[in-house]
Amino acid sequence: MHVDVVIVGGGMVGATLARACLQAGLHTALVEARPPSPDAGTGPFAQRVSAITPGAETVLRTLGVWSGVTARRVCAYRRMHVWDALGGGEIHFDARDVAEPRLGHIVENDVLIAALHEQLEGCEVFCPDTISELETKPERVRVRLTSGRVLNASLAVAADGARSRLRGLAGIGFRPRPYAQHALVGPMHMDRAHGACARQRFLPNGPLALLPLPDDWVSIVWTTTPEEAAELAALPEAKFADRLVAASEGVLGSVRHVGPRAVFPLVGGQADVYVQPRIALVGDAAHVIHPLAGQGVNLGILDAATLAESIAGRRDPGRIGVLRRYERARRGDDELTMRLMEAFRYVFGSRLAPVVRLRSLGLSWTDALPPIKTRLTRLAMDIAGERPRLARGLML
Ligand SMILES: Cc1cc2nc3c(=O)[nH]c(=O)nc-3n(C[C@H](O)[C@H](O)[C@H](O)COP(=O)(O)OP(=O)(O)OC[C@H]3O[C@@H](n4cnc5c(N)ncnc54)[C@H](O)[C@@H]3O)c2cc1C
């Protein structure tokens, strides 16, 4: 079979790219190892959630996907409260300060994936299947799948996550940055209403985020040392609840129900290049960033929107000149976000008294400076700066 674009990996980023390529009129194939969950958004809350920015939401709306998310399950948040356990500084963000109805949404990953996959009419979907071989010629790329199918394409895109097999087969290097931190995640039912507020407390070992879900559940992302994460995951529910209440200063009262917990090791890193002839990388296959500010999938969705815009209407979408436009538009942005997160991680991970004092002052000063805070909020929401057409609500 010959297609314009074959995308390997149909997670949140790969499936967004597939939908965008279809909108651009490109003959598209998608290869995904794991079928989407048929009952996403029903039953217990999933362990993995993402904070989706209004900018990424606009991409998904413009692609006709967002209604499938809201029809399932999603929680908007209008406020954010960040505070420092050691130094006492704090900062509040409110959507009203930037004249927006909300700062973002918390979406279960499975919900977004299910909503995307139901909008892939016209796409050649190979699922469950994986890539086994790659052959690149000057005029096309050939992808062999584990099932034995062979796909010829003008362009092959790696959207198969941090340990991308396509990236490896293409010989593109990836510089990992191990963080020596693990994240414990899971849904928790709290005693007090969260009031559509996302909360994050910086603890000595790393941040604890309490992300609002419907019905006063929250999804926690507790970043800490590997040892503490393992200890917390193994605690009986009642003891874990006590630790969570102490770590969150009881801001949402006691824990009514402890949902299933899971631990993920955190790594960061960036691919040496995002493109080479007939190959492009998007999402975590291109860059993995610390979940501290909930930016990974949002950057990935902007990658997908930008790549689709760069190749839309091109006779040969795999030509390196076309692909370089995408790399130029995205690499710097991703790198800046990654460095900012590294700096935050350093500053908020420090126990040195002067650093602790300065960071707390920094938080409180920024809180008291509305113009700076407004600018920061708009940037974090992906509604400022240069954005691809889809993120501005414009079709391809
Ligand atoms: C604890 C934690 C919390 C996070 N919270 C947030 C947040 O709030 N907001 C945010 O923006 N980001 C967050 N992130 C980051 C976010 O989860 C990732 O950036 C995002 O999942 C990347 O999406 P992706 O589609 O590029 O890759 P992945 O989600 O890794 O998806 C890759 C897909 O490719 C498939 N695949 C893999 N290999 C193959 C193969 N060989 N062949 C075919 N298919 C294959 C997989 O099945 C999968 O579906 C968080 C990360 C962590 C660890």
Side-chain angles (χ1 to χ4, degrees):
M1 176 186 289
H2 186 98
V3 294
D4 295 318
V5 185
V6 54
I7 301 160
V8 178
M12 294 182 281
V13 175
T16 301
L17 177 64
R19 180 71 193 97
C21 287
L22 292 173
Q23 193 184 86
L26 293 158
H27 189 196
T28 306
L30 181 68
V31 183
E32 166 57 43
R34 198 172 62 102
S37 161
D39 47 4
T42 62
F45 290 106
Q47 286 173 326
R48 293 294 304 270
V49 306
S50 298
I52 299 293
T53 62
E57 176 196 331
T58 303
V59 173
L60 298 165
R61 266 184 203 285
T62 316
L63 293 173
V65 171
W66 191 249
S67 54
V69 172
T70 53
R72 287 181 170 82
R73 197 161 59 191
V74 62
C75 186
Y77 60 98
R78 292 188 297 277
R79 294 180 298 121
M80 191 186 288
H81 179 205
V82 179
W83 73 113
D84 184 5
L86 283 184
E90 61 181 330
I91 189 162
H92 296 264
F93 297 94
D94 193 316
R96 283 175 301 189
D97 296 341
V98 284
E100 293 287 335
R102 63 191 79 90
L103 293 175
H105 285 92
I106 306 300
V107 184
E108 290 159 80
N109 292 5
D110 285 351
V111 162
L112 178 50
I113 290 170
L116 281 159
H117 276 254
E118 73 188 5
Q119 293 297 330
L120 294 183
E121 208 187 324
C123 183
E124 315 283 350
V125 179
F126 301 90
C127 178
D129 214 337
T130 57
I131 178 172
S132 64
E133 283 171 37
L134 174 79
E135 184 194 1
T136 312
K137 289 267 163 70
E139 69 295 347
R140 58 135 182 88
V141 65
R142 172 173 290 173
V143 169
R144 184 180 291 277
L145 306 184
T146 316
S147 61
R149 299 291 297 256
V150 173
L151 305 172
N152 291 301
S154 305
L155 170 66
V157 182
D160 48 351
R163 284 182 289 183
S164 169
R165 175 140 172 80
L166 175 51
R167 185 184 67 214
L169 289 171
I172 298 176
F174 184 84
R175 270 165 294 165
R177 294 182 211 157
Y179 287 132
Q181 278 187 318
H182 284 186
L184 179 136
V185 301
M188 308 287 152
H189 191 196
M190 307 304 288
D191 195 36
R192 275 193 216 143
H194 52 57
C197 179
R199 296 174 169 84
Q200 181 149 278
R201 184 173 189 226
F202 281 96
L203 296 159
N205 286 341
L208 164 66
L210 303 155
L211 307 173
L213 293 172
D215 304 326
D216 288 321
W217 282 70
V218 294
S219 178
I220 64 161
V221 183
W222 192 337
T223 306
T224 181
T225 59
E227 296 75 26
E228 189 182 22
E231 185 217 336
L232 289 168
L235 281 179
E237 288 183 1
K239 286 213 157 55
F240 175 80
D242 290 344
R243 289 280 288 274
L244 179 58
V245 170
S248 58
E249 281 193 312
V251 68
L252 293 177
S254 55
V255 187
R256 286 191 194 180
H257 184 84
V258 174
R261 290 156 274 169
V263 173
F264 295 90
L266 298 181
V267 287
Q270 199 172 25
D272 293 343
V273 293
Y274 281 17
V275 300
Q276 65 185 31
R278 313 247 155 249
I279 307 284
L281 315 181
V282 292
D284 275 21
H287 47 75
V288 186
I289 92 166
H290 197 285
L292 181 67
Q295 281 297 330
V297 74
N298 294 296
L299 291 179
I301 288 173
L302 294 181
D303 290 346
T306 308
L307 178 60
E309 183 176 330
S310 306
I311 63 178
R314 301 287 173 163
R315 205 176 41 79
D316 180 358
R319 217 164 42 78
I320 189 67
V322 172
L323 300 178
R324 286 242 159 83
R325 285 163 50 106
Y326 155 67
E327 185 176 53
R328 273 198 300 275
R330 290 302 309 157
R331 200 179 157 87
D333 220 35
D334 292 342
E335 218 164 277
L336 183 68
T337 310
M338 290 177 81
R339 286 191 193 287
L340 261 174
M341 289 312 115
E342 302 265 301
F344 268 125
R345 207 173 65 80
Y346 171 75
V347 169
F348 283 95
S350 177
R351 295 168 197 226
L352 294 172
V355 180
V356 171
R357 260 200 306 279
L358 271 179
R359 77 184 179 212
S360 276
L361 279 176
L363 280 181
S364 303
W365 278 340
T366 312
D367 203 30
L369 287 173
I372 292 184
K373 205 165 89 168
T374 303
R375 176 82 187 140
L376 278 178
T377 312
R378 294 184 70 80
L379 281 171
M381 290 168 77
D382 292 325
I383 54 171
E386 277 199 28
R387 285 162 296 151
R389 286 177 65 83
L390 287 169
R392 288 178 278 134
L394 305 169
M395 308 268 276
L396 292 178

